[in-house]
Amino acid sequence: MSAQPPWTELHAQLHRTLRSRLLLPQTERLLVAVSGGQDSLCLIKLLRDLQPKWGWELAMVHCDHGWRSDSRANADYVESLAHHWNLPCHQARASEIGKSEAWARQWRYQVLAETAGKFGYSHIVTGHTASDRAETLLYNLIRGSGADGLQALVWRRALPLDSGTSGSQPSQLLSKPLWLVRPLLEMTRTQTEKFCQDQGLRIWQDSTNQDLHYARNRIRQELLPYLQTHFNPQAEHALAQTAELLQAEVEFLEQAAAELYQKALASAQWGECLTEPLTFRYLIVKSCGKLPWPSNGE
């Protein structure tokens, strides 16, 4: 009989988070995105250790953007971890090398959704942390985003059922909702690094994370340390908490805007929408694509 893994504070924290937020139901099939960096290694190790309590079916997926000379070695390392842990491992390598963060993100999520759809995973799980949440809030704030952009990395959201089926045969298993889940949003990058060190996990260092050409890296390497040094040592936690509060407020406002829209739709009093605060008008347009004005212009 194999020994049980040691139970750390991060194990307990994740277990509590999963129970309180109902993020990853028992016995579900989970596809875990693993880059080989500290956050994703922490995530897959925690989930694997908690697996006996939750009964999940776990698998790993690795996306190789082809940006670095060591990217194939990186992919081989992730595959070796999956083999060591006796977990299925799906891999994808970009057919062309994109240059922007936006391109990389779009391609990566397309791969995740296609893999989940093809093999019948109900949840895609990523290792985003409170540090990522703080960085995303700052990034979107600088770009001039509204509250919905500033809420930054929600815990759980449904993905469109056709998001992973472009140009391919849809899986019969796609009748179930596909969820994107980020269960580490209360942990910082400092915590995930220490966990990996304590567990003896070799962290694959991604050299692109040091490239200050990318705005997010400048926020991570320069702006956040400046805020921590000169304003608030707990800046990451404070910004992540702001994102959490904004998420709750946006959910409330979106529900109120939906009710307002349905009321106007039922009564055909479209002018009521124009007298509402700008926030409601924006959310109605955002969620519906356009206001459903009658063809006669009334």
Side-chain angles (χ1 to χ4, degrees):
M1 182 176 180
S2 60
Q4 291 296 315
W7 190 259
T8 69
E9 176 54 35
L10 290 197
H11 286 90
Q13 182 177 348
L14 179 58
H15 187 60
R16 290 193 301 268
T17 297
L18 295 177
R19 291 181 62 183
S20 63
R21 294 185 179 275
L22 306 177
L23 295 176
L24 298 171
Q26 290 181 320
T27 72
E28 291 290 343
R29 306 189 73 235
L30 312 183
L31 181 65
V32 186
V34 179
S35 68
Q38 62 194 52
D39 298 337
S40 63
L41 287 183
C42 177
L43 172 66
I44 186 61
K45 181 65 167 67
L46 288 172
L47 292 177
R48 184 175 176 272
D49 291 347
L50 291 176
Q51 185 179 18
K53 293 180 177 294
W54 290 82
W56 302 307
E57 292 184 46
L58 296 176
M60 295 164 54
V61 59
H62 177 78
C63 299
D64 180 0
H65 302 97
W67 282 354
R68 310 186 323 269
S69 59
D70 66 342
S71 65
R72 287 192 181 275
N74 186 174
D76 291 341
Y77 172 60
V78 172
E79 187 173 24
S80 70
L81 288 174
H83 178 74
H84 176 70
W85 288 328
N86 196 28
L87 296 175
C89 185
H90 308 279
Q91 298 215 18
R93 182 177 174 85
S95 57
E96 58 181 288
I97 300 178
K99 295 298 183 182
S100 71
E101 295 175 279
W103 172 88
R105 182 182 183 280
Q106 181 179 0
W107 175 77
R108 189 164 59 247
Y109 278 101
Q110 180 181 341
V111 168
L112 296 177
E114 287 180 350
T115 304
K118 181 178 180 180
F119 294 97
Y121 299 105
S122 58
H123 293 69
I124 297 168
V125 193
T126 67
H128 292 97
T129 64
S131 304
D132 294 299
R133 211 176 198 187
E135 293 164 8
T136 302
L137 185 147
L138 288 172
Y139 180 77
N140 289 339
L141 179 64
I142 293 168
R143 296 172 61 211
S145 297
D148 57 334
L150 296 180
Q151 63 179 316
L153 300 177
V154 298
W155 288 91
R156 181 176 184 259
R157 68 179 176 90
L159 296 175
L161 291 180
D162 61 348
S163 62
T165 60
S166 57
S168 61
Q169 183 66 30
S171 167
Q172 68 273 19
L173 297 171
L174 282 179
S175 57
K176 294 181 63 176
L178 177 60
W179 294 97
L180 174 66
V181 180
R182 303 177 176 107
L184 302 188
L185 288 180
E186 290 178 334
M187 302 179 191
T188 65
R189 193 171 290 118
T190 300
Q191 289 177 292
T192 63
E193 181 180 23
K194 184 178 186 303
F195 178 85
C196 289
Q197 293 171 346
D198 292 345
Q199 298 292 317
L201 297 173
R202 181 166 67 94
I203 299 169
W204 194 278
Q205 300 295 341
D206 184 345
S207 59
T208 60
N209 289 335
Q210 307 302 318
D211 187 349
L212 297 183
H213 170 75
Y214 300 107
R216 287 182 181 271
N217 288 346
R218 294 196 300 275
I219 291 172
R220 177 181 304 175
Q221 303 292 341
E222 298 179 344
L223 180 54
L224 263 175
Y226 183 86
L227 294 175
Q228 290 169 325
T229 300
H230 297 283
F231 291 91
N232 182 357
Q234 300 299 319
E236 280 187 340
H237 282 295
L239 290 166
Q241 179 63 23
T242 297
E244 183 75 10
L245 294 172
L246 285 168
Q247 179 184 345
E249 292 176 3
V250 168
E251 288 177 355
F252 172 79
L253 290 172
E254 286 180 341
Q255 179 61 35
E259 293 174 359
L260 174 65
Y261 169 75
Q262 292 298 329
K263 179 181 176 182
L265 188 65
S267 63
Q269 297 297 319
W270 311 109
E272 292 184 4
C273 294
L274 296 178
T275 64
E276 293 296 330
L278 177 61
T279 297
F280 285 121
R281 284 181 278 155
Y282 166 76
L283 290 173
I284 291 173
V285 173
K286 176 176 177 288
S287 60
C288 304
K290 61 179 180 179
L291 289 172
W293 306 117
S295 58
N296 61 5
E298 296 179 358

